[in-house]
Amino acid sequence: MISIVRDLAAEALFVSDLQPSQCPSHEAVESAVTTMILQYGSDGCAASVALEFGDHPDTAVARMHWVHTELTEVLEPHRAPVLH
């Protein structure tokens, strides 16, 4: 179940207008994901990703790498630092 949610979030962030050069906050990433899912739905996000990989595979791979890096940071549970 978690992988399905993560995949949907990745597709939604991929099709959003956010750019790596913006260094978006976690809140901006979450907002973009929510907006794209509400606007396009899961099928629409997936179709847009497929289209980009078909039309521009080199840039699509780089963008998807950025997407996964961003989502790892956003979805990773925040752990309190270990004090010794």
Side-chain angles (χ1 to χ4, degrees):
M1 178 70 166
I2 292 173
S3 66
I4 293 170
V5 171
R6 185 177 178 83
D7 290 346
L8 176 56
E11 292 166 350
L13 182 56
F14 184 95
V15 300
S16 76
D17 291 334
L18 285 182
Q19 297 299 315
S21 61
Q22 294 173 298
C23 299
S25 66
H26 291 186
E27 293 79 18
V29 169
E30 291 172 359
S31 177
V33 166
T34 300
T35 299
M36 293 298 100
I37 292 170
L38 292 174
Q39 186 171 353
Y40 296 112
S42 60
D43 290 344
C45 289
S48 294
V49 170
L51 183 64
E52 281 301 307
F53 269 91
D55 291 347
H56 309 285
D58 295 341
T59 56
V61 169
R63 181 158 178 86
M64 191 56 83
H65 177 72
W66 170 75
V67 162
H68 283 286
T69 299
E70 285 296 310
L71 289 178
T72 296
E73 293 175 11
V74 170
L75 297 176
E76 177 106 358
H78 297 287
R79 298 179 187 169
V82 176
L83 301 174
H84 295 281

PDB file of all heavy atoms in Angstrom, residues 18-34:
ATOM      1  N   LEU A  18       6.743  22.491 -10.118  1.00  0.00           N
ATOM      2  CA  LEU A  18       7.924  22.685  -9.272  1.00  0.00           C
ATOM      3  C   LEU A  18       9.183  22.281 -10.021  1.00  0.00           C
ATOM      4  O   LEU A  18       9.184  21.296 -10.763  1.00  0.00           O
ATOM      5  CB  LEU A  18       7.827  21.861  -7.990  1.00  0.00           C
ATOM      6  CG  LEU A  18       6.886  22.370  -6.912  1.00  0.00           C
ATOM      7  CD1 LEU A  18       6.967  21.453  -5.694  1.00  0.00           C
ATOM      8  CD2 LEU A  18       7.194  23.787  -6.513  1.00  0.00           C
ATOM      9  N   GLN A  19      10.239  23.028  -9.803  1.00  0.00           N
ATOM     10  CA  GLN A  19      11.524  22.758 -10.441  1.00  0.00           C
ATOM     11  C   GLN A  19      12.607  22.559  -9.385  1.00  0.00           C
ATOM     12  O   GLN A  19      12.554  23.183  -8.320  1.00  0.00           O
ATOM     13  CB  GLN A  19      11.921  23.934 -11.349  1.00  0.00           C
ATOM     14  CG  GLN A  19      10.969  24.168 -12.493  1.00  0.00           C
ATOM     15  CD  GLN A  19      10.883  22.969 -13.420  1.00  0.00           C
ATOM     16  OE1 GLN A  19      11.895  22.389 -13.794  1.00  0.00           O
ATOM     17  NE2 GLN A  19       9.670  22.590 -13.796  1.00  0.00           N
ATOM     18  N   PRO A  20      13.585  21.709  -9.672  1.00  0.00           N
ATOM     19  CA  PRO A  20      14.679  21.510  -8.719  1.00  0.00           C
ATOM     20  C   PRO A  20      15.390  22.811  -8.364  1.00  0.00           C
ATOM     21  O   PRO A  20      15.804  22.995  -7.216  1.00  0.00           O
ATOM     22  CB  PRO A  20      15.626  20.555  -9.452  1.00  0.00           C
ATOM     23  CG  PRO A  20      14.786  19.881 -10.476  1.00  0.00           C
ATOM     24  CD  PRO A  20      13.711  20.857 -10.844  1.00  0.00           C
ATOM     25  N   SER A  21      15.497  23.722  -9.310  1.00  0.00           N
ATOM     26  CA  SER A  21      16.190  24.986  -9.066  1.00  0.00           C
ATOM     27  C   SER A  21      15.481  25.853  -8.033  1.00  0.00           C
ATOM     28  O   SER A  21      16.083  26.751  -7.453  1.00  0.00           O
ATOM     29  CB  SER A  21      16.349  25.769 -10.368  1.00  0.00           C
ATOM     30  OG  SER A  21      15.073  26.073 -10.908  1.00  0.00           O
ATOM     31  N   GLN A  22      14.212  25.562  -7.755  1.00  0.00           N
ATOM     32  CA  GLN A  22      13.456  26.312  -6.765  1.00  0.00           C
ATOM     33  C   GLN A  22      13.771  25.865  -5.337  1.00  0.00           C
ATOM     34  O   GLN A  22      13.382  26.550  -4.400  1.00  0.00           O
ATOM     35  CB  GLN A  22      11.952  26.161  -7.003  1.00  0.00           C
ATOM     36  CG  GLN A  22      11.461  26.771  -8.291  1.00  0.00           C
ATOM     37  CD  GLN A  22      10.006  26.440  -8.545  1.00  0.00           C
ATOM     38  OE1 GLN A  22       9.646  25.269  -8.683  1.00  0.00           O
ATOM     39  NE2 GLN A  22       9.171  27.471  -8.606  1.00  0.00           N
ATOM     40  N   CYS A  23      14.415  24.718  -5.193  1.00  0.00           N
ATOM     41  CA  CYS A  23      14.665  24.147  -3.862  1.00  0.00           C
ATOM     42  C   CYS A  23      13.396  24.233  -3.009  1.00  0.00           C
ATOM     43  O   CYS A  23      13.383  24.878  -1.958  1.00  0.00           O
ATOM     44  CB  CYS A  23      15.831  24.844  -3.178  1.00  0.00           C
ATOM     45  SG  CYS A  23      17.377  24.700  -4.075  1.00  0.00           S
ATOM     46  N   PRO A  24      12.310  23.585  -3.466  1.00  0.00           N
ATOM     47  CA  PRO A  24      11.029  23.746  -2.776  1.00  0.00           C
ATOM     48  C   PRO A  24      11.047  23.189  -1.355  1.00  0.00           C
ATOM     49  O   PRO A  24      11.740  22.210  -1.058  1.00  0.00           O
ATOM     50  CB  PRO A  24      10.056  22.965  -3.650  1.00  0.00           C
ATOM     51  CG  PRO A  24      10.891  21.969  -4.362  1.00  0.00           C
ATOM     52  CD  PRO A  24      12.226  22.625  -4.557  1.00  0.00           C
ATOM     53  N   SER A  25      10.278  23.823  -0.499  1.00  0.00           N
ATOM     54  CA  SER A  25      10.126  23.354   0.880  1.00  0.00           C
ATOM     55  C   SER A  25       9.295  22.066   0.873  1.00  0.00           C
ATOM     56  O   SER A  25       8.633  21.743  -0.114  1.00  0.00           O
ATOM     57  CB  SER A  25       9.414  24.417   1.717  1.00  0.00           C
ATOM     58  OG  SER A  25       8.076  24.575   1.259  1.00  0.00           O
ATOM     59  N   HIS A  26       9.310  21.370   1.991  1.00  0.00           N
ATOM     60  CA  HIS A  26       8.496  20.163   2.109  1.00  0.00           C
ATOM     61  C   HIS A  26       7.022  20.495   1.929  1.00  0.00           C
ATOM     62  O   HIS A  26       6.274  19.739   1.304  1.00  0.00           O
ATOM     63  CB  HIS A  26       8.720  19.489   3.449  1.00  0.00           C
ATOM     64  CG  HIS A  26      10.081  18.888   3.588  1.00  0.00           C
ATOM     65  ND1 HIS A  26      10.444  18.126   4.664  1.00  0.00           N
ATOM     66  CD2 HIS A  26      11.175  18.930   2.801  1.00  0.00           C
ATOM     67  CE1 HIS A  26      11.699  17.724   4.527  1.00  0.00           C
ATOM     68  NE2 HIS A  26      12.158  18.215   3.402  1.00  0.00           N
ATOM     69  N   GLU A  27       6.613  21.654   2.458  1.00  0.00           N
ATOM     70  CA  GLU A  27       5.221  22.072   2.325  1.00  0.00           C
ATOM     71  C   GLU A  27       4.860  22.320   0.860  1.00  0.00           C
ATOM     72  O   GLU A  27       3.768  21.973   0.417  1.00  0.00           O
ATOM     73  CB  GLU A  27       4.958  23.334   3.151  1.00  0.00           C
ATOM     74  CG  GLU A  27       5.050  23.118   4.647  1.00  0.00           C
ATOM     75  CD  GLU A  27       6.489  23.074   5.180  1.00  0.00           C
ATOM     76  OE1 GLU A  27       7.417  23.534   4.480  1.00  0.00           O
ATOM     77  OE2 GLU A  27       6.672  22.559   6.295  1.00  0.00           O
ATOM     78  N   ALA A  28       5.777  22.918   0.098  1.00  0.00           N
ATOM     79  CA  ALA A  28       5.527  23.166  -1.325  1.00  0.00           C
ATOM     80  C   ALA A  28       5.406  21.859  -2.093  1.00  0.00           C
ATOM     81  O   ALA A  28       4.556  21.730  -2.986  1.00  0.00           O
ATOM     82  CB  ALA A  28       6.632  24.039  -1.916  1.00  0.00           C
ATOM     83  N   VAL A  29       6.235  20.891  -1.750  1.00  0.00           N
ATOM     84  CA  VAL A  29       6.171  19.579  -2.402  1.00  0.00           C
ATOM     85  C   VAL A  29       4.836  18.904  -2.085  1.00  0.00           C
ATOM     86  O   VAL A  29       4.151  18.408  -2.989  1.00  0.00           O
ATOM     87  CB  VAL A  29       7.360  18.686  -1.975  1.00  0.00           C
ATOM     88  CG1 VAL A  29       7.170  17.249  -2.435  1.00  0.00           C
ATOM     89  CG2 VAL A  29       8.674  19.263  -2.502  1.00  0.00           C
ATOM     90  N   GLU A  30       4.453  18.907  -0.820  1.00  0.00           N
ATOM     91  CA  GLU A  30       3.184  18.292  -0.430  1.00  0.00           C
ATOM     92  C   GLU A  30       2.008  18.977  -1.116  1.00  0.00           C
ATOM     93  O   GLU A  30       1.086  18.312  -1.596  1.00  0.00           O
ATOM     94  CB  GLU A  30       3.017  18.352   1.085  1.00  0.00           C
ATOM     95  CG  GLU A  30       3.978  17.461   1.831  1.00  0.00           C
ATOM     96  CD  GLU A  30       3.935  17.670   3.334  1.00  0.00           C
ATOM     97  OE1 GLU A  30       3.158  18.530   3.821  1.00  0.00           O
ATOM     98  OE2 GLU A  30       4.691  16.977   4.033  1.00  0.00           O
ATOM     99  N   SER A  31       2.042  20.289  -1.198  1.00  0.00           N
ATOM    100  CA  SER A  31       0.973  21.039  -1.846  1.00  0.00           C
ATOM    101  C   SER A  31       0.903  20.722  -3.341  1.00  0.00           C
ATOM    102  O   SER A  31      -0.190  20.538  -3.899  1.00  0.00           O
ATOM    103  CB  SER A  31       1.189  22.539  -1.641  1.00  0.00           C
ATOM    104  OG  SER A  31       0.210  23.276  -2.316  1.00  0.00           O
ATOM    105  N   ALA A  32       2.051  20.646  -3.985  1.00  0.00           N
ATOM    106  CA  ALA A  32       2.085  20.335  -5.419  1.00  0.00           C
ATOM    107  C   ALA A  32       1.529  18.943  -5.689  1.00  0.00           C
ATOM    108  O   ALA A  32       0.761  18.744  -6.637  1.00  0.00           O
ATOM    109  CB  ALA A  32       3.510  20.454  -5.954  1.00  0.00           C
ATOM    110  N   VAL A  33       1.903  17.981  -4.860  1.00  0.00           N
ATOM    111  CA  VAL A  33       1.414  16.608  -5.028  1.00  0.00           C
ATOM    112  C   VAL A  33      -0.114  16.580  -4.881  1.00  0.00           C
ATOM    113  O   VAL A  33      -0.827  16.027  -5.728  1.00  0.00           O
ATOM    114  CB  VAL A  33       2.088  15.653  -4.018  1.00  0.00           C
ATOM    115  CG1 VAL A  33       1.366  14.312  -3.950  1.00  0.00           C
ATOM    116  CG2 VAL A  33       3.558  15.462  -4.371  1.00  0.00           C
ATOM    117  N   THR A  34      -0.612  17.205  -3.840  1.00  0.00           N
ATOM    118  CA  THR A  34      -2.058  17.227  -3.611  1.00  0.00           C
ATOM    119  C   THR A  34      -2.792  17.910  -4.755  1.00  0.00           C
ATOM    120  O   THR A  34      -3.806  17.404  -5.262  1.00  0.00           O
ATOM    121  CB  THR A  34      -2.375  17.943  -2.284  1.00  0.00           C
ATOM    122  OG1 THR A  34      -1.726  17.245  -1.223  1.00  0.00           O
ATOM    123  CG2 THR A  34      -3.867  17.995  -2.021  1.00  0.00           C
TER     124      THR A  34
END
